[in-house]
Amino acid sequence: MIGKLLKRSTKAGEGGSIVVEGARKATGGKGRTRIVMTMAVFFGIFATISGRLVYLGFQTPDMSGGPQSRVTASRPDIVDRNGEVLATDIKTASLFAEPRRIVDADEAIEKLSTVLPEIDYEQTYHKLKSGAGFVWLQRQLTPKQQSDIMQLGIPGFGFRTEKRRFYPSGETSSYVVGLTNIDNQGISGMEKYVDEQGLSDLQASGLAVAKDLKPVRLSIDLRVQHVVRDEIAAGLERYRAMGAGAVVLNVKTGEVVAMASVPDFDPNNPYNAQEKDRLNRMSAGLYEMGSTFKSFTSAMALDSGKATMASRFDASHPIRVGHQAIHDFHGKNRVLSLPEVFLYSSNIGSAREAEMVGIEGHREFLHRLGILDKMQTELPEVARPTEPKIWKQVNSFTIAFGHGVSTTPLQAAVGCAALMNGGFLMNPTFLVRTQAEAMAMAKKVVSEKTVDGMRYLYTLNAEKGSARNARVPGYRVGGKTGTAEKVINGRYSKELNFNTFVAAFPMDDPQYLVFTIADAPHPEKPGMTDVAAANAGVIAGNIIKRSAAMLGVKPDFSHENGATLVSYQ
């Protein structure tokens, strides 16, 4: 009995073992399936992510979430002819935000406004709520502003070190040196010229390394530049003028030693640089030059060979052309010699000189001196002169005394320099240039005899005529005034003038030329006149008095202006 039970138990146990083993086999198969399925899911996810990354790698990045975060590129220093710094790079901090990390945009702006009260609340709010990875909030902070913002401890705010342009001389040379934008790129003046010479390409390629950039040396003498700017600013106020300006040229090299125009602006804070009265009148303004143009008319008559110092011109009565009549401002009402035409600034006599040369000869001479062509120089802000499409007799007459064509004061100065330096026309330059380099590209435009005659006329006018206010003892100054009715809305004004004055010194061998302008000046005091001799001429004399020694011109008191006149008496 017991034996049978044992056999049954043994069989039952064997059967149970078989069942358990079968269960284990079934369970193991399902587990492996689940593992394989899980692995397949994970592989699928990784494959999807990898494919997406590869796809995105070939796409153009979307920069709409915020401005570029690159650091501004370096620029070379700009220095004057003596090495004085006119423009240089300085490091500054700029504030940015990472909107994705901003917890409370309203609180962040509220805190920020305690340091930057001028910040635009609505614009800044939209930036902080944009969800972008990077946005600029304020560029070029002061060290104090950076420190104060850091103390606010706003999460998601940060700073990047950038370069900005600093101009140690401020407004003194603003129109010549020019400006850069927020990204340190030149947008005007010599700053723009430097970019156009290849700097912008270096910056784009990342090769604009500060230590490799040599300073750009200008022809400007900062000492003389300060004198010029100071005198025209004083003249602007003294004569209650709309504008004023001046340029000092080296007549032997064509170098612009100083040039300024007011009103101007501070390039370190150029908030008003785009206002309509902020114009570089010397190179970008077009004006009728008035009687200063008689320098070219007399030179033309002499250079043509049809006139000499002994030539005489009938100025006893007005010249009538159709319904127009040409009068003299203070007429002598008699026949005048060529020197008298210049000395008394006779419109009638100048028109007779032009008539002697002829219309085509007149036009050719002005183009020969570059007066009516666009000036070639480094400064980008240069206006193109205007002239009649067809010259008629009346045009030639009026142009002879400075009406009917418009040019820039700088071009008029360059043309006058050619009448003083031996007869050579040189494109003006704002870079240092030697006399040999200047002569290599100079163009002979008038004869030596014409130059001698013009030097005589300038000296005569300083001794006996309208240039007397510009005389400086010891420096033998000569010159010519120009008082033109100002053109307003296409019509000549009877109340406002555009006044010019050209002066050269020393007249026995001119080295420098000063050309000044006074735009719509008023009499300094009641009862005084507003003609050029009373304002533009005074400004020129003050500039020469203060800067001649800086320019290396030694005073000579052994002979004054009269000694130069002997050979023409």
Side-chain angles (χ1 to χ4, degrees), residues 13-29:
E14 289 175 354
S17 298
I18 293 170
V19 171
V20 171
E21 185 178 351
R24 286 176 178 169
K25 288 181 179 180
T27 302

Side-chain angles (χ1 to χ4, degrees), residues 359-546:
I359 296 174
E360 288 305 315
H362 191 181
R363 185 173 184 273
E364 184 276 330
F365 186 82
L366 293 181
H367 277 281
R368 192 196 314 169
L369 265 67
I371 306 299
L372 300 180
D373 299 310
K374 187 174 181 180
M375 182 170 53
Q376 300 300 311
T377 189
E378 300 87 8
L379 204 67
E381 294 80 23
V382 173
R384 182 181 294 277
T386 62
E387 63 174 308
K389 289 185 178 180
I390 300 175
W391 282 43
K392 298 179 180 179
Q393 187 68 70
V394 67
N395 300 121
S396 183
F397 283 166
T398 58
I399 291 168
F401 53 86
H403 287 74
V405 295
S406 297
T407 190
T408 69
L410 180 55
Q411 279 179 270
V414 170
C416 290
L419 305 180
M420 295 290 113
N421 67 6
F424 295 96
L425 181 66
M426 303 172 183
N427 288 333
T429 181
F430 291 84
L431 301 174
V432 173
R433 183 165 69 192
T434 65
Q435 186 171 347
E437 290 170 338
M439 290 302 295
M441 49 72 65
K443 178 184 176 183
K444 185 76 169 177
V445 288
V446 295
S447 68
E448 289 284 352
K449 188 174 181 180
T450 300
V451 170
D452 290 340
M454 292 309 301
R455 289 181 182 178
Y456 166 75
L457 293 177
Y458 271 35
T459 305
L460 176 67
N461 198 42
E463 184 181 79
K464 299 181 179 181
S466 60
R468 283 174 291 184
N469 285 348
R471 288 188 300 179
V472 180
Y475 289 107
R476 295 92 69 201
V477 178
K480 182 73 182 78
T481 55
T483 303
E485 293 178 341
K486 185 174 174 64
V487 179
I488 300 177
N489 298 324
R491 295 189 176 186
Y492 291 107
S493 169
K494 298 298 181 182
E495 290 79 33
L496 299 176
N497 296 330
F498 182 82
N499 294 347
T500 58
F501 189 89
V502 56
F505 68 100
M507 285 310 303
D508 48 338
D509 183 18
Q511 305 293 314
Y512 294 96
L513 183 139
V514 178
F515 197 102
T516 58
I517 66 170
D519 189 354
H522 293 81
E524 184 176 0
K525 297 177 182 178
M528 296 182 68
T529 181
D530 63 350
V531 297
N535 38 71
V538 174
I539 294 172
N542 290 341
I543 290 172
I544 295 170
K545 185 185 302 180
R546 294 178 59 185

